[in-house]
Amino acid sequence: WTSALQQQLGASAFVVVAEGLNGRTTVLDDAAGSEAMLPAEGLNGRRSLLPCLHSHKPIAAVVLALGCNDLKSKHYFGAEHVVN
């Protein structure tokens, strides 16, 4: 979806950066099944958000897509937890 957004915005107006990482969660430490082979802390979105933002300065806008990996059955979280 980031490529489609970039196309809609135009190449000269903004640069869309896809900062996705397989297995990343919103707040959980979970390295199991990570293709990135990172330690559990490396997939915790809360811990990685600020370094990601600082590495792409200046920033005009941020779009976050949250929740998919948090819904893995092993975490025992439902959609209500992810939304809150």
Coordinates of all heavy atoms in Angstrom, one line a residue:
W1 N 0.8 -1.2 0.0 CA 0.0 0.0 0.0 C 0.9 1.3 0.0 O 0.4 2.3 -0.4 CB -1.0 0.0 1.2 CG -0.4 0.1 2.5 CD1 0.0 -0.9 3.3 CD2 -0.1 1.3 3.2 NE1 0.6 -0.4 4.5 CE2 0.5 1.0 4.4 CE3 -0.2 2.7 2.9 CZ2 0.9 1.9 5.4 CZ3 0.2 3.6 3.8 CH2 0.7 3.2 5.0
T2 N 2.1 1.1 0.5 CA 2.9 2.3 0.5 C 3.3 2.8 -0.9 O 3.4 4.0 -1.2 CB 4.2 2.1 1.3 OG1 4.9 0.9 0.8 CG2 3.9 1.9 2.8
S3 N 3.5 1.9 -1.8 CA 3.7 2.2 -3.2 C 2.6 3.0 -3.9 O 2.7 3.9 -4.6 CB 4.1 1.0 -4.1 OG 5.2 0.4 -3.6
A4 N 1.4 2.5 -3.6 CA 0.2 3.1 -4.1 C 0.0 4.5 -3.5 O -0.3 5.5 -4.2 CB -1.1 2.3 -3.8
L5 N 0.3 4.7 -2.2 CA 0.3 6.0 -1.6 C 1.3 7.0 -2.2 O 1.0 8.1 -2.5 CB 0.5 5.9 -0.1 CG 0.6 7.2 0.7 CD1 -0.8 8.0 0.6 CD2 0.9 6.9 2.2
Q6 N 2.5 6.5 -2.5 CA 3.5 7.3 -3.1 C 3.1 7.8 -4.5 O 3.3 8.9 -4.8 CB 4.8 6.5 -3.2 CG 6.0 7.3 -3.8 CD 6.5 8.4 -2.9 OE1 7.1 8.2 -1.9 NE2 6.2 9.7 -3.3
Q7 N 2.5 6.9 -5.2 CA 2.0 7.2 -6.6 C 0.9 8.3 -6.5 O 0.9 9.2 -7.3 CB 1.5 5.9 -7.2 CG 1.1 6.2 -8.7 CD 0.7 4.9 -9.4 OE1 0.6 3.8 -8.7 NE2 0.5 5.0 -10.7
Q8 N 0.0 8.2 -5.5 CA -1.1 9.1 -5.4 C -0.5 10.5 -5.0 O -1.1 11.5 -5.4 CB -2.1 8.6 -4.4 CG -2.9 7.5 -4.9 CD -3.8 7.9 -6.1 OE1 -4.5 8.9 -6.1 NE2 -3.8 7.0 -7.1
L9 N 0.5 10.5 -4.1 CA 1.0 11.8 -3.6 C 1.9 12.5 -4.7 O 2.1 13.7 -4.6 CB 1.8 11.6 -2.4 CG 1.0 11.2 -1.1 CD1 1.9 10.8 0.0 CD2 0.1 12.3 -0.7
G10 N 2.5 11.7 -5.5 CA 3.4 12.2 -6.5 C 4.9 12.1 -6.0 O 5.1 12.3 -4.8
A11 N 5.8 11.9 -6.8 CA 7.2 11.7 -6.4 C 7.8 13.0 -5.8 O 8.7 12.9 -5.0 CB 8.0 11.2 -7.6
S12 N 7.4 14.2 -6.3 CA 8.1 15.4 -5.8 C 7.5 15.9 -4.5 O 8.1 16.7 -3.8 CB 8.0 16.4 -6.9 OG 6.7 16.8 -7.2
A13 N 6.2 15.6 -4.2 CA 5.6 16.1 -3.0 C 6.1 15.5 -1.7 O 6.4 16.3 -0.8 CB 4.0 15.9 -3.1
F14 N 6.1 14.2 -1.6 CA 6.5 13.5 -0.4 C 7.3 12.3 -0.8 O 7.2 11.8 -1.9 CB 5.3 13.1 0.4 CG 4.5 14.3 1.0 CD1 3.4 14.7 0.3 CD2 4.8 14.8 2.2 CE1 2.6 15.8 0.8 CE2 4.1 15.9 2.7 CZ 3.0 16.4 2.0
V15 N 8.0 11.8 0.2 CA 8.7 10.5 0.1 C 8.0 9.6 1.1 O 8.0 9.9 2.3 CB 10.2 10.6 0.3 CG1 10.8 9.2 0.3 CG2 10.9 11.5 -0.7
V16 N 7.4 8.5 0.6 CA 6.8 7.5 1.5 C 7.8 6.5 1.9 O 8.4 5.8 1.0 CB 5.6 6.9 0.8 CG1 4.9 5.8 1.7 CG2 4.5 8.0 0.5
V17 N 8.0 6.3 3.1 CA 9.0 5.3 3.6 C 8.3 4.1 4.2 O 7.5 4.3 5.2 CB 10.0 5.9 4.7 CG1 10.9 4.8 5.2 CG2 10.7 7.1 4.1
A18 N 8.4 2.9 3.7 CA 7.8 1.7 4.3 C 8.8 1.2 5.3 O 9.9 0.8 5.0 CB 7.6 0.7 3.2
E19 N 8.4 1.2 6.6 CA 9.3 0.8 7.7 C 8.7 -0.4 8.3 O 8.8 -0.6 9.5 CB 9.3 2.0 8.7 CG 10.4 1.9 9.7 CD 11.8 1.8 9.2 OE1 12.3 2.8 8.6 OE2 12.4 0.8 9.4
G20 N 8.2 -1.3 7.5 CA 7.6 -2.6 8.0 C 8.7 -3.6 8.4 O 9.8 -3.6 7.8
L21 N 8.4 -4.4 9.3 CA 9.3 -5.5 9.7 C 8.5 -6.7 10.1 O 7.6 -6.6 10.9 CB 10.1 -5.1 10.9 CG 11.2 -6.1 11.4 CD1 12.2 -6.4 10.3 CD2 11.9 -5.6 12.7
N22 N 8.7 -7.8 9.4 CA 7.9 -9.1 9.6 C 8.0 -9.4 11.1 O 9.0 -9.5 11.7 CB 8.5 -10.2 8.8 CG 8.2 -10.1 7.4 OD1 7.3 -9.3 6.9 ND2 9.0 -10.8 6.5
G23 N 6.8 -9.6 11.7 CA 6.7 -10.1 13.1 C 6.6 -9.0 14.1 O 6.4 -9.2 15.3
R24 N 6.8 -7.7 13.7 CA 6.8 -6.6 14.7 C 5.4 -6.5 15.3 O 4.4 -6.7 14.6 CB 7.2 -5.3 14.0 CG 7.3 -4.2 15.0 CD 7.6 -2.9 14.4 NE 9.0 -2.8 14.0 CZ 9.6 -2.1 13.1 NH1 8.8 -1.3 12.3 NH2 10.9 -2.1 12.8
T25 N 5.4 -6.3 16.6 CA 4.1 -6.1 17.3 C 4.1 -4.7 17.9 O 5.0 -3.9 17.8 CB 4.0 -7.1 18.5 OG1 5.1 -6.8 19.5 CG2 4.1 -8.5 18.1
T26 N 2.9 -4.3 18.5 CA 2.8 -3.0 19.0 C 3.7 -2.8 20.2 O 4.4 -1.8 20.4 CB 1.4 -2.6 19.3 OG1 0.8 -3.6 20.2 CG2 0.6 -2.5 18.0
V27 N 3.6 -3.7 21.2 CA 4.2 -3.5 22.5 C 4.9 -4.8 23.0 O 5.4 -4.8 24.2 CB 3.3 -3.0 23.6 CG1 2.8 -1.6 23.2 CG2 2.1 -3.9 23.8
L28 N 4.8 -5.9 22.3 CA 5.3 -7.2 22.8 C 6.7 -7.5 22.3 O 7.1 -7.2 21.3 CB 4.3 -8.3 22.3 CG 2.9 -8.1 22.7 CD1 2.0 -9.1 21.9 CD2 2.7 -8.3 24.2
D29 N 7.4 -8.2 23.2 CA 8.7 -8.8 22.9 C 8.5 -10.2 22.3 O 8.2 -11.1 23.1 CB 9.7 -8.8 24.1 CG 10.0 -7.4 24.6 OD1 10.0 -6.5 23.8 OD2 10.2 -7.2 25.8
D30 N 8.7 -10.4 21.1 CA 8.4 -11.7 20.5 C 9.3 -12.0 19.3 O 9.0 -11.5 18.2 CB 6.9 -11.7 20.0 CG 6.5 -13.0 19.3 OD1 7.2 -14.0 19.5 OD2 5.5 -13.0 18.6
A31 N 10.3 -12.7 19.5 CA 11.3 -13.0 18.4 C 10.9 -14.3 17.7 O 11.5 -14.6 16.7 CB 12.7 -13.1 18.9
A32 N 10.0 -15.1 18.2 CA 9.7 -16.4 17.7 C 9.2 -16.2 16.2 O 8.2 -15.5 16.0 CB 8.7 -17.1 18.5
G33 N 9.8 -16.9 15.3 CA 9.3 -16.9 13.9 C 9.8 -15.7 13.2 O 9.3 -15.5 12.0
S34 N 10.6 -14.9 13.7 CA 11.1 -13.7 13.0 C 12.0 -14.0 11.9 O 13.0 -14.6 12.1 CB 11.8 -12.7 14.0 OG 12.5 -11.7 13.3
E35 N 11.7 -13.6 10.7 CA 12.6 -13.7 9.6 C 13.8 -12.9 9.7 O 14.9 -13.1 9.1 CB 11.9 -13.4 8.3 CG 10.8 -14.4 7.9 CD 10.1 -14.1 6.7 OE1 10.6 -13.3 5.9 OE2 9.0 -14.6 6.5
A36 N 13.7 -11.8 10.5 CA 14.8 -10.9 10.7 C 15.8 -11.4 11.7 O 16.9 -10.9 11.8 CB 14.3 -9.5 11.2
M37 N 15.5 -12.5 12.4 CA 16.4 -13.1 13.4 C 16.9 -12.1 14.4 O 18.0 -12.0 14.8 CB 17.6 -13.8 12.7 CG 17.2 -14.8 11.7 SD 16.3 -16.1 12.5 CE 17.0 -17.5 11.9
L38 N 16.0 -11.2 14.8 CA 16.3 -10.2 15.9 C 16.0 -10.8 17.2 O 15.2 -11.6 17.4 CB 15.4 -9.0 15.6 CG 15.7 -8.2 14.3 CD1 14.6 -7.1 14.2 CD2 17.1 -7.6 14.4
P39 N 16.6 -10.2 18.3 CA 16.2 -10.5 19.6 C 14.7 -10.1 19.8 O 14.2 -9.2 19.1 CB 17.2 -9.8 20.5 CG 17.7 -8.7 19.7 CD 17.7 -9.2 18.2
A40 N 14.1 -10.6 20.8 CA 12.7 -10.3 21.1 C 12.4 -8.8 21.2 O 11.4 -8.3 20.6 CB 12.2 -11.0 22.4
E41 N 13.3 -8.1 21.8 CA 13.1 -6.6 21.9 C 13.1 -5.9 20.6 O 12.6 -4.8 20.4 CB 14.2 -6.0 22.8 CG 14.5 -6.6 24.1 CD 15.4 -7.9 24.0 OE1 16.3 -7.9 23.3 OE2 15.0 -8.8 24.7
G42 N 13.8 -6.5 19.6 CA 13.9 -5.9 18.2 C 12.5 -5.8 17.5 O 12.4 -5.1 16.5
L43 N 11.6 -6.6 17.9 CA 10.3 -6.6 17.3 C 9.2 -5.9 18.1 O 8.0 -5.9 17.7 CB 9.8 -8.0 17.0 CG 10.8 -8.8 16.0 CD1 10.4 -10.2 15.9 CD2 10.8 -8.1 14.7
N44 N 9.6 -5.2 19.1 CA 8.6 -4.4 19.9 C 8.5 -3.0 19.3 O 9.4 -2.2 19.3 CB 9.2 -4.3 21.3 CG 8.3 -3.6 22.3 OD1 7.7 -2.6 22.0 ND2 8.1 -4.2 23.5
G45 N 7.3 -2.7 18.7 CA 7.1 -1.5 18.0 C 7.3 -0.3 18.9 O 7.7 0.8 18.5
R46 N 6.9 -0.4 20.2 CA 7.0 0.8 21.1 C 8.5 1.2 21.2 O 8.9 2.3 21.2 CB 6.5 0.4 22.4 CG 6.6 1.6 23.4 CD 6.1 1.3 24.8 NE 4.7 1.1 24.8 CZ 4.0 0.5 25.8 NH1 4.6 0.0 26.8 NH2 2.7 0.3 25.7
R47 N 9.4 0.2 21.3 CA 10.8 0.4 21.4 C 11.5 0.9 20.2 O 12.4 1.7 20.2 CB 11.5 -0.8 21.9 CG 11.2 -1.2 23.3 CD 12.2 -2.3 23.8 NE 11.9 -2.6 25.2 CZ 11.5 -3.8 25.6 NH1 11.4 -4.8 24.8 NH2 11.2 -4.0 26.9
S48 N 10.9 0.5 19.0 CA 11.6 0.8 17.8 C 11.0 2.1 17.1 O 11.6 2.6 16.1 CB 11.5 -0.3 16.8 OG 10.2 -0.7 16.5
L49 N 9.9 2.6 17.6 CA 9.3 3.8 16.9 C 10.2 5.0 16.9 O 10.4 5.6 15.8 CB 7.9 4.1 17.6 CG 7.2 5.3 16.9 CD1 6.9 5.0 15.5 CD2 5.9 5.5 17.7
L50 N 10.7 5.4 18.0 CA 11.5 6.7 18.1 C 12.8 6.6 17.2 O 13.1 7.5 16.5 CB 11.8 7.1 19.5 CG 10.7 7.7 20.2 CD1 11.1 8.0 21.7 CD2 10.2 9.0 19.5
P51 N 13.5 5.5 17.3 CA 14.7 5.4 16.4 C 14.3 5.4 14.9 O 15.0 6.1 14.1 CB 15.3 4.0 16.8 CG 14.9 3.7 18.2 CD 13.5 4.4 18.3
C52 N 13.2 4.8 14.6 CA 12.7 4.9 13.2 C 12.4 6.3 12.8 O 12.8 6.8 11.7 CB 11.5 4.0 12.9 SG 11.9 2.2 12.9
L53 N 11.7 7.0 13.6 CA 11.3 8.4 13.3 C 12.5 9.3 13.2 O 12.6 10.1 12.3 CB 10.4 8.9 14.4 CG 9.0 8.3 14.5 CD1 8.2 8.9 15.7 CD2 8.2 8.5 13.2
H54 N 13.5 9.1 14.1 CA 14.7 10.0 14.1 C 15.5 9.7 12.8 O 16.2 10.6 12.3 CB 15.5 9.8 15.3 CG 14.9 10.4 16.5 ND1 14.8 11.8 16.6 CD2 14.4 9.9 17.7 CE1 14.2 12.1 17.8 NE2 14.0 10.9 18.4
S55 N 15.5 8.4 12.3 CA 16.3 8.1 11.2 C 15.8 8.7 9.9 O 16.5 8.6 8.9 CB 16.5 6.6 11.1 OG 15.3 6.0 10.7
H56 N 14.6 9.2 9.9 CA 13.9 9.7 8.7 C 13.6 11.2 8.7 O 12.8 11.6 8.0 CB 12.7 8.9 8.3 CG 12.9 7.4 8.1 ND1 13.6 7.0 7.0 CD2 12.6 6.3 8.8 CE1 13.7 5.7 7.0 NE2 13.1 5.3 8.1
K57 N 14.2 11.9 9.7 CA 13.9 13.3 9.8 C 14.3 14.1 8.5 O 15.2 13.7 7.9 CB 14.7 13.9 11.0 CG 14.1 13.5 12.3 CD 15.0 14.2 13.4 CE 14.5 13.9 14.7 NZ 15.3 14.5 15.8
P58 N 13.6 15.1 8.2 CA 12.4 15.7 8.8 C 11.2 14.9 8.3 O 11.1 14.3 7.3 CB 12.3 17.1 8.2 CG 13.0 17.0 6.9 CD 14.1 16.0 7.0
I59 N 10.2 14.9 9.2 CA 8.9 14.1 8.9 C 7.7 15.1 8.9 O 7.6 15.8 9.9 CB 8.7 13.0 10.0 CG1 9.9 12.0 10.0 CG2 7.4 12.3 9.8 CD1 9.9 11.1 11.1
A60 N 6.9 14.9 7.9 CA 5.7 15.8 7.8 C 4.5 15.0 8.4 O 3.6 15.6 8.9 CB 5.5 16.2 6.4
A61 N 4.5 13.7 8.2 CA 3.3 12.9 8.7 C 3.7 11.5 8.9 O 4.7 11.0 8.3 CB 2.2 12.9 7.6
V62 N 3.0 10.8 9.8 CA 3.3 9.4 10.1 C 2.0 8.7 10.1 O 0.9 9.1 10.6 CB 3.9 9.3 11.5 CG1 4.0 7.8 11.9 CG2 5.2 10.0 11.6
V63 N 2.0 7.5 9.4 CA 0.8 6.6 9.3 C 1.2 5.3 9.9 O 2.2 4.7 9.5 CB 0.3 6.4 7.9 CG1 -0.8 5.4 7.8 CG2 0.0 7.7 7.2
L64 N 0.5 4.9 10.9 CA 0.8 3.6 11.6 C -0.3 2.6 11.3 O -1.5 2.9 11.5 CB 1.0 3.8 13.1 CG 2.1 4.7 13.6 CD1 2.0 4.9 15.1 CD2 3.4 4.1 13.2
A65 N 0.1 1.4 11.0 CA -0.9 0.3 10.9 C -0.5 -0.7 12.0 O 0.5 -1.3 12.0 CB -0.7 -0.4 9.5
L66 N -1.4 -0.8 13.0 CA -1.2 -1.6 14.2 C -2.1 -2.8 14.3 O -3.2 -2.8 13.8 CB -1.4 -0.7 15.4 CG -0.6 0.6 15.5 CD1 -1.1 1.4 16.7 CD2 0.9 0.3 15.6
G67 N -1.5 -3.8 15.0 CA -2.4 -4.9 15.5 C -2.3 -6.2 14.9 O -2.7 -7.2 15.6
C68 N -1.9 -6.4 13.7 CA -2.0 -7.8 13.1 C -1.2 -8.8 13.8 O -1.7 -9.9 14.1 CB -1.6 -7.7 11.6 SG -2.7 -6.8 10.6
N69 N 0.1 -8.5 14.1 CA 0.9 -9.5 14.8 C 0.5 -9.6 16.2 O 0.8 -10.7 16.8 CB 2.4 -9.1 14.6 CG 2.9 -9.3 13.2 OD1 2.6 -10.3 12.6 ND2 3.6 -8.4 12.7
D70 N -0.1 -8.6 16.8 CA -0.6 -8.7 18.2 C -1.7 -9.8 18.3 O -2.0 -10.3 19.4 CB -1.1 -7.4 18.7 CG 0.1 -6.4 18.8 OD1 0.4 -5.8 17.8 OD2 0.6 -6.3 19.9
L71 N -2.4 -10.1 17.2 CA -3.5 -11.0 17.3 C -3.1 -12.5 17.1 O -3.9 -13.3 17.0 CB -4.5 -10.6 16.2 CG -5.2 -9.3 16.4 CD1 -6.0 -8.9 15.2 CD2 -6.0 -9.2 17.7
K72 N -1.8 -12.8 17.1 CA -1.3 -14.2 17.1 C -1.9 -14.9 18.3 O -2.0 -14.3 19.4 CB 0.2 -14.2 17.2 CG 0.9 -13.7 15.9 CD 2.4 -13.8 16.2 CE 3.2 -13.2 15.0 NZ 4.6 -13.1 15.3
S73 N -2.4 -16.1 18.1 CA -3.1 -16.8 19.2 C -2.2 -17.0 20.4 O -2.7 -17.1 21.5 CB -3.6 -18.1 18.7 OG -2.6 -18.9 18.2
K74 N -0.9 -17.1 20.2 CA 0.0 -17.3 21.4 C 0.0 -16.1 22.3 O 0.4 -16.3 23.5 CB 1.4 -17.7 20.9 CG 2.1 -16.5 20.2 CD 3.5 -17.0 19.8 CE 4.2 -15.9 19.1 NZ 5.5 -16.3 18.7
H75 N -0.4 -15.0 21.9 CA -0.4 -13.8 22.8 C -1.7 -13.6 23.6 O -1.7 -12.8 24.5 CB -0.1 -12.5 22.0 CG 1.2 -12.5 21.3 ND1 2.3 -12.8 21.9 CD2 1.5 -12.2 20.0 CE1 3.3 -12.7 21.0 NE2 2.8 -12.4 19.8
Y76 N -2.7 -14.3 23.2 CA -4.0 -14.3 23.9 C -4.6 -12.9 24.0 O -5.2 -12.5 24.9 CB -3.8 -14.9 25.3 CG -3.2 -16.2 25.4 CD1 -1.9 -16.4 25.8 CD2 -3.9 -17.3 25.0 CE1 -1.3 -17.6 25.8 CE2 -3.3 -18.6 25.0 CZ -2.0 -18.7 25.4 OH -1.5 -20.0 25.4
F77 N -4.3 -12.1 23.0 CA -4.9 -10.8 22.9 C -6.1 -10.8 21.8 O -5.9 -11.4 20.8 CB -3.9 -9.7 22.4 CG -2.9 -9.4 23.5 CD1 -1.6 -8.9 23.1 CD2 -3.2 -9.5 24.8 CE1 -0.7 -8.6 24.0 CE2 -2.2 -9.2 25.8 CZ -1.0 -8.7 25.3
G78 N -7.1 -10.2 22.2 CA -8.2 -10.0 21.2 C -8.2 -8.7 20.6 O -7.3 -7.8 20.9
A79 N -9.1 -8.4 19.7 CA -9.1 -7.1 18.9 C -9.3 -6.0 19.9 O -8.7 -4.9 19.7 CB -10.2 -7.2 17.9
E80 N -10.0 -6.2 21.0 CA -10.3 -5.1 21.9 C -9.0 -4.6 22.6 O -8.8 -3.4 22.7 CB -11.2 -5.5 23.0 CG -11.6 -4.4 24.0 CD -12.6 -4.9 25.0 OE1 -13.6 -5.5 24.7 OE2 -12.3 -4.7 26.2
H81 N -8.1 -5.5 22.9 CA -6.8 -5.2 23.5 C -6.0 -4.3 22.5 O -5.4 -3.3 22.9 CB -6.0 -6.4 23.9 CG -4.6 -6.1 24.2 ND1 -4.2 -5.6 25.5 CD2 -3.4 -6.1 23.5 CE1 -2.9 -5.4 25.5 NE2 -2.4 -5.7 24.3
V82 N -6.0 -4.7 21.2 CA -5.2 -4.0 20.2 C -5.7 -2.6 20.0 O -4.9 -1.7 19.9 CB -5.1 -4.8 18.9 CG1 -4.4 -4.0 17.8 CG2 -4.5 -6.2 19.1
V83 N -7.0 -2.5 20.0 CA -7.6 -1.2 19.8 C -7.3 -0.2 20.9 O -7.1 1.0 20.8 CB -9.1 -1.3 19.5 CG1 -9.8 0.1 19.5 CG2 -9.4 -2.0 18.2
N84 N -7.4 -0.8 22.1 CA -7.1 0.1 23.3 C -5.7 0.3 23.6 O -5.2 1.1 24.2 CB -7.8 -0.6 24.6 CG -9.3 -0.6 24.4 OD1 -9.9 0.4 23.9 ND2 -9.9 -1.6 24.9

